[in-house]
Amino acid sequence: MAAGRTIAVLGGTGDQGYGLALRWAKAGERVIIGSRVAERAEDAARKIREELGGQGEVEGRENPAAVAGADIVVVSVPFSAQATTLKTCKDSFREGQILCDLTVALASNIGGPATRMIVPPHGSAAEQAADLAPKGVKVVSAFQNVSAEALSSLDEEIDCDVIVCGTNDAKPVIRELIAHLPGARYVDGGPLYNSRIVESITALLIGFNIRYKGIHSGIRISGIPAN
Amino acid sequence: MAAGRTIAVLGGTGDQGYGLALRWAKAGERVIIGSRVAERAEDAARKIREELGGQGEVEGRENPAAVAGADIVVVSVPFSAQATTLKTCKDSFREGQILCDLTVALASNIGGPATRMIVPPHGSAAEQAADLAPKGVKVVSAFQNVSAEALSSLDEEIDCDVIVCGTNDAKPVIRELIAHLPGARYVDGGPLYNSRIVESITALLIGFNIRYKGIHSGIRISGIPAN
């Protein structure tokens, strides 16, 4: 299933990045956890291998080394760290790589509630990623609405559509990664510009999780034919 | 079913307002179609009575007279007409009425695409409605994501959740109106502030309808227990 490719998950020590790395490693993808500190990345990689009973091709590296070793770079860091992370990795990217951004500018990044958004200078976190990514890197956004808790529980279905915005010829690859998440479904979200709406849905879902105590809410788009 | 109450639908001559008025009249609610021009409102009311085979308590009035005769005022006008409509009706509102705003600030209001949003001065159209509504009127927002085409086809199920934001003690009434739309489900969207996210989802859905040709997309929130 790995198709010879490697996925770097920057911020793979955090809840959502960890959950995705876990799911993808379980599905047979080769994964590199990226972190600012190599030891923390290695710890997370070890934990994934343990959860998978010793299976799983997962290693941990500092972010720039993770980017250098990957075909697909998944950015799953707090919005407040996104620009710095991408700048740090600037020289490690190469043409043709896919950058899949998961960042959401929740107001919790500035000490506010996670149920509200701040407006990024580019309109969306994904557009900021596109501005900071070196030329020739194919930028998409996806997975922002997927519950970290659901991802981390390997026996839980992912009851959520994944709306993918951005570079069209990267979408089939992201679609393959979505297919590794049982229950999740790929939906074409159009241009990267639309990510500003998809990102804000995350804040809305966090509000549902609070109001409807203890749930892991997700989003489904109705009316789209089965694919 | 009508519980002695009357629903005014301002902009009930437009696609979405018409569809809601049709569904509610069919369910036995007393409905007043509101329009800038009384004759156009009367025409729409006549058309609904015809569609319902002569049944349905529906009449047409100028907007201010529609507001004066109603317990629930549904505002379904283009964003570019919302402020003027509410100002025109200012003296007709009374304390305790419910104002349910459906307005979405699509960029089509300023000659742009309906797949993109403009940012209203208050952050959302619903918050603008709240600012313009007389004191004592209970403001909520709802129904923005429901397909007008689906509403107008009486044999079609409404495959969409209705996220209701705003005044809590108005929500049970809106929930009753949602129950008249087969397939639709009430979801508590929290404070009116959240309407900015719910409204923007409309632009996203319009994009899906274009990319996935000919569908009437809607939104479902997964993980919320049946209610």
Side-chain angles (χ1 to χ4, degrees):
Chain A
M1 290 297 284
R5 68 190 165 204
T6 301
I7 308 165
V9 183
L10 311 189
T13 56
D15 289 346
Q16 203 173 24
Y18 181 87
L20 284 170
L22 173 68
R23 296 276 187 163
W24 289 331
K26 189 190 176 205
E29 298 282 354
R30 192 183 307 134
V31 177
I32 306 172
I33 302 277
S35 175
R36 265 186 309 136
V37 183
E39 289 71 29
R40 292 181 51 203
E42 287 159 11
D43 284 349
R46 191 176 310 115
K47 202 174 149 210
I48 287 179
R49 289 194 304 268
E50 283 169 16
E51 276 207 67
L52 298 178
Q55 302 296 306
E57 281 192 82
V58 197
E59 58 176 311
R61 295 186 188 175
E62 263 187 285
N63 284 327
V67 170
D71 305 289
I72 304 160
V73 178
V74 172
V75 181
S76 179
V77 299
F79 178 65
S80 55
Q82 187 210 34
T84 307
T85 302
L86 289 174
K87 284 176 191 165
T88 310
C89 296
K90 193 163 58 94
D91 297 332
S92 304
F93 277 102
R94 63 178 186 279
E95 214 173 304
Q97 273 179 319
I98 293 174
L99 190 167
C100 179
D101 191 65
L102 273 67
T103 315
V104 177
L106 298 174
S108 49
N109 283 281
I110 52 152
T115 54
R116 295 192 173 202
M117 298 289 292
I118 49 180
V119 181
H122 298 77
S124 66
E127 288 158 289
Q128 176 162 294
D131 189 36
L132 293 170
K135 202 164 161 283
V137 172
K138 301 169 187 173
V139 179
V140 292
S141 74
F143 302 108
Q144 307 95 332
N145 306 148
V146 178
S147 156
E149 291 78 6
L151 286 171
S152 301
S153 314
L154 279 178
D155 49 359
E156 200 166 322
E157 291 254 314
I158 307 301
D159 192 1
C160 192
D161 285 348
V162 179
I163 303 171
V164 184
C165 301
T167 314
N168 280 327
D169 71 349
K171 286 176 180 171
V173 176
I174 304 303
R175 190 173 184 153
E176 290 173 23
L177 300 188
I178 294 167
H180 291 325
L181 312 177
R185 181 181 66 155
Y186 165 86
V187 174
D188 181 0
L192 204 60
Y193 179 95
N194 288 345
S195 191
R196 59 189 69 196
I197 303 175
V198 178
E199 292 169 21
S200 72
I201 290 171
T202 305
L204 195 67
L205 294 177
I206 291 170
F208 292 132
N209 293 349
I210 295 170
R211 275 191 299 288
Y212 292 91
K213 302 179 198 329
I215 68 167
H216 306 154
S217 63
I219 186 179
R220 291 291 193 185
I221 306 301
S222 61
I224 292 181
N227 53 50
Chain B
M1 290 300 281
R5 68 186 165 206
T6 302
I7 308 164
V9 182
L10 311 188
T13 55
D15 288 346
Q16 202 172 24
Y18 180 88
L20 284 169
L22 174 69
R23 295 277 187 163
W24 290 331
K26 189 189 177 206
E29 299 282 353
R30 193 183 306 134
V31 176
I32 306 172
I33 301 278
S35 175
R36 265 185 307 134
V37 183
E39 288 70 29
R40 290 180 52 203
E42 288 159 11
D43 284 348
R46 191 176 310 114
K47 201 174 151 212
I48 288 180
R49 290 194 304 270
E50 283 170 14
E51 276 208 64
L52 299 177
Q55 302 294 308
E57 281 191 82
V58 197
E59 58 175 310
R61 293 186 190 175
E62 262 186 285
N63 285 326
V67 170
D71 306 289
I72 304 160
V73 179
V74 172
V75 180
S76 179
V77 298
F79 178 65
S80 54
Q82 188 210 34
T84 306
T85 302
L86 289 174
K87 285 176 190 164
T88 311
C89 296
K90 193 163 58 97
D91 297 331
S92 304
F93 277 101
R94 60 179 188 279
E95 213 172 306
Q97 273 179 319
I98 293 173
L99 188 167
C100 179
D101 191 66
L102 274 68
T103 315
V104 177
L106 298 174
S108 49
N109 282 281
I110 52 151
T115 53
R116 296 192 172 202
M117 299 288 292
I118 48 180
V119 181
H122 298 79
S124 66
E127 288 158 287
Q128 175 162 293
D131 188 37
L132 293 170
K135 202 165 160 282
V137 171
K138 302 169 187 173
V139 179
V140 291
S141 74
F143 302 108
Q144 307 95 330
N145 307 147
V146 178
S147 156
E149 289 80 6
L151 287 170
S152 301
S153 313
L154 280 177
D155 48 0
E156 200 167 321
E157 291 255 313
I158 307 300
D159 191 1
C160 192
D161 285 348
V162 179
I163 303 172
V164 185
C165 302
T167 314
N168 279 327
D169 71 348
K171 286 177 181 170
V173 177
I174 304 303
R175 189 174 183 153
E176 290 172 25
L177 300 188
I178 295 167
H180 291 324
L181 311 178
R185 180 179 68 155
Y186 165 86
V187 173
D188 181 0
L192 204 60
Y193 178 95
N194 288 346
S195 190
R196 59 189 69 196
I197 303 174
V198 179
E199 292 168 21
S200 72
I201 290 171
T202 306
L204 195 66
L205 295 178
I206 291 170
F208 292 131
N209 294 350
I210 295 170
R211 274 190 300 288
Y212 292 91
K213 303 182 198 327
I215 68 167
H216 306 154
S217 64
I219 185 178
R220 292 291 194 186
I221 307 299
S222 60
I224 293 181
N227 52 51

